[in-house]
């Protein structure tokens, strides 16, 4: 029972991790909370479902979700962020909130406000190990998350573009002095963020086999909490906080009932804000340089 | 090589630089000296392309656009900023790799990086160390090495000896002489006026955003007014 809950928690935690990474990429590099990421997640699910319902193979659905959300992320960057780059920090946040609601409306108009369901199971089959039963879908969710995080880590830590990204995050002027175009790096951050959110959307959508235009709201807020718990100044904090919150949430529901489900996540967020505002993994204030 | 004409820089309503003319000829070390707040850093940042300004700056006969650092670097102007500008969240080697970021000749860049690690052995030995863990002098070496890796024609150094012990300051001045001997043109921003005037060919003395004296460095060092108002003060040596 406990082990089973752990597996279920890790599945949920994997998705939280992806969306929290999506938030913290933009937050860590630009200092801006892009609220429309919740809708990139939702749209990723719709792009993926559209591909699946068109009988396209599963990898195509995954790629459609990631690329589709990345494209929408570029639109958000161009319209809701770039023109407001020099405005007070709350301004682009509000414009992404506006964008968020518009995107929900667009989704409602394109796909309807009723839940969209998958009739056939995309990935049938279960793996049973003693008392623990893992669906193939759960394995895909966790496997895809590990793969995406590994790719992201490689890009950010080992490539020139990733180094440029970290340079801008740490010191914009120094990055410019080294020839980095802040505009290009900003775009890269939005694209990577879109890919992560889109993947999370299609994965959770397939896992539950049902999606709605409003699915981003609840999970988006939760991912923000996960990011805060992991630490907003370091993108990798989500790697710890995501699985932690996923497991905590599933355990709470299993042993405390679903009516207390959100107490844990948001309670923990407030506790972290009060006691350790830099997050679980965040460094001390003097290390502010080490952001990403 | 570089010519700034009637340069004006404002921070909001504060006029930090008010009608400055500066010429830097190829192969020279030009010093920009002046008290704290005179506008030295502002001029260096404007030339590097970090700030909007009024007036004209041309480099190798071409007019530069204000606030376009990325372009200026590719044209051949590198700035080692005040406070060194080390990327503390990166390793020593990653900082050096950032110096290669703007270059297209990646293979030659790799070779230059290896050469730089030989020229500054400490940067080779500590390549995997976080840059924030280096000492002040080592960080200054790293900042200069990183700037050199972009293969600049003109190197702007903003108070490279700030906060360093006298011995380390001497080694920075040795390095400056060495870089010039290798053909680099240098603009040196400093408060340590005596040592700077000894190292430089020509100098500009800045006071509250205006140039009040300029000429061969020896002349400025001997200038009575410069000596009284500046070199004689606590900022000298
Ligand atoms: N970012 C800034 N915002 C407002 N004023 C500034 C800023 N940077 C410098 N100044 C002002 O501009 C003037 C020149 O500063 P600076 O160029 O740093 O001088 P220096 O390098 O010679 O010490 C000073 O009066 C300083 O207070
Ligand atoms: Mg200064």
């Amino acid at each position: 029972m406990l082990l089973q809950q752990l597996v279920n928690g890790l599945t949920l935690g994997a998705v939280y991790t992806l969306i929290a990474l999506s938030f913290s990429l933009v937050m860590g590099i630009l200092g801006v909370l892009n609220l429309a990421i919740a809708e990139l997640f939702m749209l990723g699910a719709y792009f993926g479902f559209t591909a699946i319902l068109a009988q396209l193979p599963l990898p195509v659905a995954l790629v459609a979700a990631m690329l589709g959300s990345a494209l929408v992320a570029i639109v958000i960057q161009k319209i809701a962020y770039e023109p407001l780059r020099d405005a007070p920090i709350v301004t682009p946040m509000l414009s992404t909130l506006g964008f968020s609601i518009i995107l929900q409306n667009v989704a409602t108009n394109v796909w309807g406000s009723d839940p969209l369901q998958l009739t056939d199971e995309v990935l049938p089959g279960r793996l049973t190990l003693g008392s623990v039963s893992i669906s193939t879908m759960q394995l895909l969710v966790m496997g895809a998350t590990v793969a995406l995080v590994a790719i992201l880590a490689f890009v950010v830590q080992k490539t020139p573009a990733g180094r440029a990204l970290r340079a801008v995050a740490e010191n914009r002027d120094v990055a410019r002095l080294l020839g980095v175009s802040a505009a290009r790096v900003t775009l890269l951050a939005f694209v990577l963020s879109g890919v992560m959110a889109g993947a999370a959307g299609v994965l959770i959508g397939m896992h539950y086999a049902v999606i709605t235009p409003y699915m981003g709201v609840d999970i988006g807020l939760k991912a923000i909490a996960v990011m805060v718990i992991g630490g907003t100044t370091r993108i990798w904090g989500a790697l710890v906080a995501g699985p932690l919150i996923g497991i905590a949430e599933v355990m709470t529901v299993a042993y405390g009932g679903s009516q207390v489900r959100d107490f844990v996540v948001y309670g923990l967020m407030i506790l972290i804000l009060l006691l350790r505002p830099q997050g679980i993994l965040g460094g001390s204030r003097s290390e502010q340089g080490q952001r990403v | 090589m570089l010519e700034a004409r009637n340069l004006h820089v404002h921070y909001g309503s504060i006029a930090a630089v008010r009608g400055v003319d500066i010429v830097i000829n190829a192969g020279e070390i030009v010093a920009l000296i002046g008290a704290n707040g005179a506008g030295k850093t502002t001029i260096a940042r404007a030339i590097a392309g970090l700030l909007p300004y009024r007036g004209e700056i041309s480099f190798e006969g071409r007019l530069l656009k204000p606030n376009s650092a990325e372009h200026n670097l590719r044209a051949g102007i590198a700035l080692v900023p005040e406070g060194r500008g080390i990327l503390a969240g990166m390793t020593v080697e990653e900082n050096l790799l950032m110096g290669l970021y703007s270059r297209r000749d990646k293979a030659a860049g790799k070779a230059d990086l290896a050469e730089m690690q030989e020229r500054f052995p400490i940067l080779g030995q500590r390549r995997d160390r976080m840059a924030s863990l280096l000492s002040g002098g080592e960080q200054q070496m790293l900042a200069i090495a990183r700037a050199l890796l972009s293969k600049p024609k003109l190197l702007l150094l903003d108070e490279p000896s700030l906060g360093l012990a006298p011995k380390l300051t001497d080694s920075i001045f040795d390095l400056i002489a060495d870089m010039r001997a290798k053909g680099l043109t240098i603009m040196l921003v400093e408060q340590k006026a005596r040592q700077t005037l000894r190292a430089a060919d020509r100098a500009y003395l800045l006071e509250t955003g205006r140039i009040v004296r300029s000429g061969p460095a020896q002349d400025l060092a001997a200038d009575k007014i410069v000596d009284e108002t500046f070199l004689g003060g606590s900022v000298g040596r």
Side-chain angles (χ1 to χ4, degrees), chain B residues 10-12 14-17 34-45 51 82 158-159 189 191 206 209:
Chain B
H10 293 256
Y11 295 107
I14 304 167
V17 174
N36 203 8
K40 305 180 298 294
T41 295
T42 304
I43 292 174
R45 288 168 62 83
L51 295 173
E82 193 175 55
D158 193 349
E159 301 212 34
V189 171
Q191 285 193 51
L206 207 65

Side-chain angles (χ1 to χ4, degrees), chain A:
Chain A
M1 178 65 185
L2 181 72
L3 228 52
Q4 181 67 55
Q5 299 300 348
L6 212 60
V7 168
N8 296 344
L10 280 175
T11 311
L12 190 62
V15 174
Y16 287 162
T17 303
L18 287 178
I19 315 174
L21 279 176
S22 176
F23 275 108
S24 67
L25 265 170
V26 177
M27 185 83 182
I29 288 156
L30 309 167
V32 168
L33 192 58
N34 174 10
L35 290 167
I37 283 172
E39 268 51 59
L40 293 176
F41 162 80
M42 175 272 292
L43 286 173
Y46 274 97
F47 294 141
F49 270 42
T50 306
I52 291 167
L53 294 170
Q55 310 293 332
L56 293 167
L58 182 60
V60 175
L62 284 171
V63 170
M66 292 190 279
L67 285 188
S69 291
L71 283 176
V72 179
I74 293 174
V75 175
I76 294 171
Q77 192 258 340
K78 297 279 179 226
I79 297 176
Y81 174 74
E82 197 62 36
L84 302 171
R85 199 164 40 114
D86 299 322
I89 205 93
V90 70
T91 313
M93 194 173 121
L94 288 175
S95 80
T96 62
L97 177 64
F99 226 95
S100 191
I101 294 174
I102 291 170
L103 289 175
Q104 273 177 35
N105 260 286
V106 170
T108 312
N109 281 298
V110 175
W111 291 288
S113 58
D114 291 337
L116 188 62
Q117 287 190 321
L118 292 180
T119 38
D120 310 320
E121 234 180 315
V122 187
L123 264 187
R126 307 189 73 82
L127 201 72
T128 311
L129 295 164
S131 63
V132 183
S133 160
I134 309 173
S135 70
T136 318
M137 196 62 229
Q138 280 181 312
L139 284 177
L140 174 72
V141 172
M142 288 187 269
T145 299
V146 170
L148 281 169
V149 168
I151 292 169
L152 181 70
F154 177 79
V155 169
V156 171
Q157 299 296 338
K158 296 291 175 202
T159 67
R163 270 195 296 274
L165 207 85
R166 286 185 286 145
V168 172
E170 185 176 330
N171 189 329
R172 219 181 166 84
D173 276 350
V174 168
R176 291 181 66 203
L177 285 175
L178 295 167
V180 177
S181 150
R184 215 179 306 164
V185 162
T186 302
L187 195 62
L188 177 65
F190 270 84
V191 166
L192 290 175
S193 152
V195 167
M196 293 290 142
V202 69
L203 287 171
I204 199 88
M206 290 191 303
H207 181 49
Y208 292 125
V210 55
I211 58 178
T212 77
Y214 314 106
M215 68 189 278
V217 179
D218 184 42
I219 213 158
L221 271 179
K222 219 167 269 175
I224 292 173
V226 170
M227 171 182 72
V228 170
I229 292 166
T232 47
T233 56
R234 292 196 180 174
I235 61 174
W236 306 118
L239 295 188
V240 175
L244 189 79
I245 296 304
I247 291 167
E249 183 173 330
V250 169
M251 296 289 178
T252 315
V253 175
Y255 301 106
S258 61
Q259 69 278 14
V260 291
R261 155 183 217 143
D262 290 345
F263 275 114
V264 177
V265 182
Y266 295 106
L268 198 56
M269 177 179 89
I270 291 169
L271 216 61
I272 288 272
L273 282 174
L274 289 175
L275 301 179
R276 202 176 154 76
Q278 71 273 35
I280 295 178
L281 279 196
S284 63
R285 209 162 267 280
S286 60
E287 292 181 69
Q288 271 287 310
Q290 309 188 7
R291 287 182 85 165
V292 174

